[in-house]
Every structure is written in C-alpha cells, then in structure tokens.
Amino acid sequence: MKRYGIFGGTFNPIHSGHLMIAEFLREESNLDKILFIPTGSPPHKDLNVSAIDRFNMVKKATENNDKFEISDIETKRINLSYTVDTIKELKNILKDIKLYFLIGLDTLFELKTWKKIDELSKEIEFIVALRPNYINIDEINKEILFLKNNYETEIKIVQTPQLEISSTSLRKRIVEGKSVKYLIPDEVIEYIEENNLYKYDD
Ligand code: ATP
C-alpha cells in the first residue's frame, strides 16, 4: 500500500524549513510522496497575501522534486476549510493510499484546539518533526499522552535537522530589506519580488 505525507500550512511564504522537513520526513517515514496543501482562508490568521499567491509560491518551490505534489483542495474553496473536511475529501479521492499528516512541533501543542480533533484522529495518524525551541521531552510526551487519552490521536515523533526560521521572521526580514537568500528558494524570492509581496508588515 502506498503511503503519502500530507503537509498542510499557510506557507506565507513557503521556506527552506518546510521543504527540508518534508524531504526528511518523507525518507525517514518511508513515504512515497508529500502532498503540500496550502490553506485557503485560515480561521485564525488574517493574511494580506492571497491564497493564489501562496499556492503559486508552493508550486514553484516544489516542482523540481518529483516526490512533491501540491493540492488546491483548500485554496480553491470559497468557505473556510477545516483539516478534518480536507482529509475526508482526500481519502475519497486517494483510495488505497495510507495518509499521514506532517506537522512541526509547535503545531503539536495546537492540535487540541483543532476543530473536531477527535474525528480527525480517527481518520489519520500524525508525524511530528522536532522543531527548534521545543526540547523539553517530558512536555512533549505529556502532550502526546493527553491527545492519545482524550482523542485517541496517534502520533509519531521524528528527529529532523533543525532550521530556526518561520514565515513570520522571513516576512519581517523582507519588510526590513534584508536578504532571505537560502532561507527561501530562489524561484520563490523571484515570485515575491515580481509580485511586490510582503512590502509591509502584517
Ligand atoms: P508562521 O510564522 O506564519 O506561523 P510557519 O513558518 O510556522 O508560519 P506554517 O505555514 O504555519 O509556517 O507551517 C506549516 C507547518 O510547518 C506547521 O506544522 C509548522 O509547525 C511547520 N514548520 C514551519 N516552520 C518550520 C521549521 N523551521 N521547522 C520545522 N517545522 C516547521
């Protein structure tokens, strides 16, 4: 049975941290492909860059890796989308493929606030990449146990190399006129420049 990693995110913009953990988790967890799913209108974030621009940037960043794919399942929706709905829809399309949801460690601590996390936990297992600044293993194990006991969430932790960057810090660098070379792929930097994105802080 084929195994796909689902990598959802705002990707505002996509950066080397995202790409590095996707490739690393793909290999370490024996996944056949990684499916990047940029969010449409995220419930918690007020974005000043459109879903189309974020989708286009992920497309440019992923098209030179034949194990990476991108889905417009969330960006093409008009209404708010929740992960549980996306996963149910995907499982109908990708029958006979086992799906895993990839997240960074900061997202592990947000999972309990996700809409219908109990229902989502029945649909998919999570793979967590250890992310910088979260090195307290007791705290991590406590969270995993809490999710397991309350929502039957299945979680696997994978130690990845660590790149201490976030989209927020990169948007800030761009506003300040600083270089983001090597932190964001060249094709994405070109797209940002051509489309005048992130000129002002949000
Ligand atoms: P923002 O700063 O805008 O919140 P972000 O850089 O955290 O953005 P998202 O698009 O929100 O990026 O993240 C998508 C997923 O990638 C999340 O699960 C997040 O934990 C993970 N992630 C983001 N940056 C890193 C990184 N440097 N290392 C490991 N995982 C990361």
Side-chain angles (χ1 to χ4, degrees), residues 7-11 15 17-18 21 45 103-107 131 163 165-168 171:
F7 195 21
T10 325
F11 302 123
H15 54 68
H18 296 130
I21 67 159
K45 295 187 183 178
I103 55 173
L105 197 62
D106 53 334
T107 305
R131 195 177 173 183
L163 259 183
I165 50 176
S166 65
S167 298
T168 306
R171 291 196 300 274

Side-chain angles (χ1 to χ4, degrees), residues 18-59:
H18 296 130
L19 294 160
M20 181 274 290
I21 67 159
E23 178 69 358
F24 201 88
L25 293 179
R26 180 190 65 72
E27 190 153 66
E28 290 302 305
S29 303
N30 293 315
L31 303 171
D32 295 285
K33 289 224 180 229
I34 304 294
L35 187 58
F36 287 73
I37 308 187
T39 55
S41 319
H44 309 297
K45 295 187 183 178
D46 187 18
L47 304 180
N48 58 14
V49 169
S50 72
I52 295 168
D53 281 329
R54 290 183 292 104
F55 177 91
N56 288 341
M57 288 188 279
V58 175
K59 191 161 194 318

Side-chain angles (χ1 to χ4, degrees), residues 89-119:
E89 203 176 324
L90 271 182
K91 282 176 88 175
N92 269 330
I93 306 166
L94 303 173
K95 291 193 179 79
D96 304 325
I97 297 177
K98 172 110 171 124
L99 305 182
Y100 296 85
F101 202 91
L102 313 183
I103 55 173
L105 197 62
D106 53 334
T107 305
L108 172 72
F109 291 94
E110 291 167 9
L111 278 186
K112 55 181 175 287
T113 67
W114 281 22
K115 174 116 170 157
K116 298 188 190 158
I117 181 64
D118 49 344
E119 217 178 289

Side-chain angles (χ1 to χ4, degrees), residues 33-175:
K33 289 224 180 229
I34 304 294
L35 187 58
F36 287 73
I37 308 187
T39 55
S41 319
H44 309 297
K45 295 187 183 178
D46 187 18
L47 304 180
N48 58 14
V49 169
S50 72
I52 295 168
D53 281 329
R54 290 183 292 104
F55 177 91
N56 288 341
M57 288 188 279
V58 175
K59 191 161 194 318
K60 285 190 176 290
T62 53
E63 61 197 358
N64 64 357
N65 185 331
D66 63 2
K67 306 276 189 207
F68 285 177
E69 275 179 22
I70 177 170
S71 163
D72 64 358
I73 191 165
E74 292 203 347
T75 42
K76 73 177 181 214
R77 280 197 199 128
I78 297 156
N79 297 322
L80 291 184
S81 46
Y82 291 103
T83 305
V84 63
D85 304 321
T86 303
I87 295 302
K88 283 184 179 172
E89 203 176 324
L90 271 182
K91 282 176 88 175
N92 269 330
I93 306 166
L94 303 173
K95 291 193 179 79
D96 304 325
I97 297 177
K98 172 110 171 124
L99 305 182
Y100 296 85
F101 202 91
L102 313 183
I103 55 173
L105 197 62
D106 53 334
T107 305
L108 172 72
F109 291 94
E110 291 167 9
L111 278 186
K112 55 181 175 287
T113 67
W114 281 22
K115 174 116 170 157
K116 298 188 190 158
I117 181 64
D118 49 344
E119 217 178 289
L120 178 61
S121 299
K122 289 194 181 75
E123 300 289 338
I124 197 161
E125 285 174 35
F126 289 85
I127 299 178
V128 183
L130 275 192
R131 195 177 173 183
N133 293 336
Y134 286 96
I135 44 170
N136 186 335
I137 198 71
D138 291 338
E139 207 186 315
I140 294 167
N141 286 335
K142 211 170 117 196
E143 191 69 14
I144 291 177
L145 199 65
F146 174 85
L147 289 161
K148 173 101 184 144
N149 288 341
N150 287 277
Y151 313 113
E152 294 178 45
T153 319
E154 293 295 337
I155 297 169
K156 198 176 132 216
I157 290 271
V158 177
Q159 178 86 49
T160 64
Q162 304 190 344
L163 259 183
E164 177 50 294
I165 50 176
S166 65
S167 298
T168 306
S169 67
L170 295 170
R171 291 196 300 274
K172 190 160 173 280
R173 286 186 72 81
I174 297 171
V175 169

